Amino acid sequence: MQRSTHRILTTHCGSLPRPNDLLEMLMAREQGSLHDMPAFHARVREAIGECVRKQRDTGLDIINDGEWSKPDYSTYVKNRFTGFEGEPTPTDTGRDILDFPEYAPFRRTGLNQPTRPKCNGPIAWKDFAAVQRDIDNLKAAASHAEEVFMTAVSPGQVARFQGNVYYKSDEEYLWALADV
């Protein structure tokens, strides 16, 4: 871990605005209309490199992948876990988007927001290879960085954005998410 007695080290919370072309590809994948997966994976890998360079150029001390392989910081689990094929959970529009709608990434591009299906079955790994791709992409892009981090949505955030109709209680749902 980096330490400094001369200045405050800097980073960011994780999710950074994605380039429009990448966001379009992510949403096409979400909607099932992306057919060139090798091109998609290549663009994600290239974009992660761009994201890391921008963070370095900005002077951040601790960098990450900006969550650029994901359409949204919290709903991506539906692609990586089983159990999320239920009806959509109603979207909760945040106060920031109400006050500044021009900064909403999906409004900015004219794309639909990712769906947030409810949990309607047992939660287990479906696509752990996506996690490994994220790790490999960040390692390749940040090979010269002293310190990097990867984010993961917390069980509480998944439960907040993606309702549950399968588990008997909120506690059982949260534990199932945490166990995976």
Side-chain angles (χ1 to χ4, degrees):
M1 173 186 264
Q2 292 185 60
R3 297 181 189 279
S4 176
T5 58
H6 306 293
R7 65 185 184 83
I8 297 172
L9 299 176
T10 58
T11 191
H12 60 91
C13 65
S15 192
L16 296 172
R18 292 136 184 90
N20 286 346
D21 72 308
L22 178 61
L23 192 54
E24 288 171 8
M25 291 178 89
L26 286 163
M27 293 315 298
R29 185 184 64 168
E30 286 289 295
Q31 296 162 2
S33 61
L34 181 68
H35 303 295
D36 190 349
M37 290 308 289
F40 170 74
H41 291 306
R43 177 59 183 122
V44 167
R45 189 173 183 88
E46 175 187 44
I48 301 303
E50 294 166 15
C51 183
V52 166
R53 278 190 299 281
K54 286 180 181 182
Q55 290 173 78
R56 281 190 189 141
D57 293 349
T58 302
L60 293 178
D61 299 295
I62 306 164
I63 58 176
N64 80 356
D65 65 357
E67 298 183 335
W68 282 13
S69 68
K70 303 167 183 112
D72 180 272
Y73 82 97
S74 63
T75 61
Y76 68 94
V77 298
K78 72 180 184 296
N79 300 322
R80 296 180 181 194
F81 295 171
T82 62
F84 289 96
E85 289 83 28
E87 292 295 315
T89 303
T91 302
D92 179 21
T93 303
R95 180 61 194 244
D96 57 336
I97 300 304
L98 293 174
D99 290 346
F100 302 99
E102 66 274 18
Y103 291 103
F106 303 105
R107 291 187 183 148
R108 153 173 75 100
T109 60
L111 300 170
N112 293 327
Q113 191 166 354
T115 59
R116 298 173 171 172
K118 291 180 182 170
C119 175
N120 67 343
I123 298 171
W125 278 108
K126 175 170 63 175
D127 188 8
F128 193 80
V131 176
Q132 191 60 55
R133 273 192 306 277
D134 284 347
I135 293 167
D136 294 344
N137 287 339
L138 183 57
K139 279 184 173 180
S143 62
H144 300 295
E146 188 171 331
E147 192 163 344
V148 298
F149 71 100
M150 293 201 72
T151 60
V153 64
S154 70
Q157 283 296 93
V158 174
R160 175 179 173 232
F161 288 115
Q162 295 182 217
N164 164 48
V165 294
Y166 177 77
Y167 291 96
K168 294 176 185 149
S169 67
D170 290 342
E171 183 176 1
E172 186 180 348
Y173 181 35
L174 287 170
W175 277 110
L177 287 163
D179 285 344
V180 174

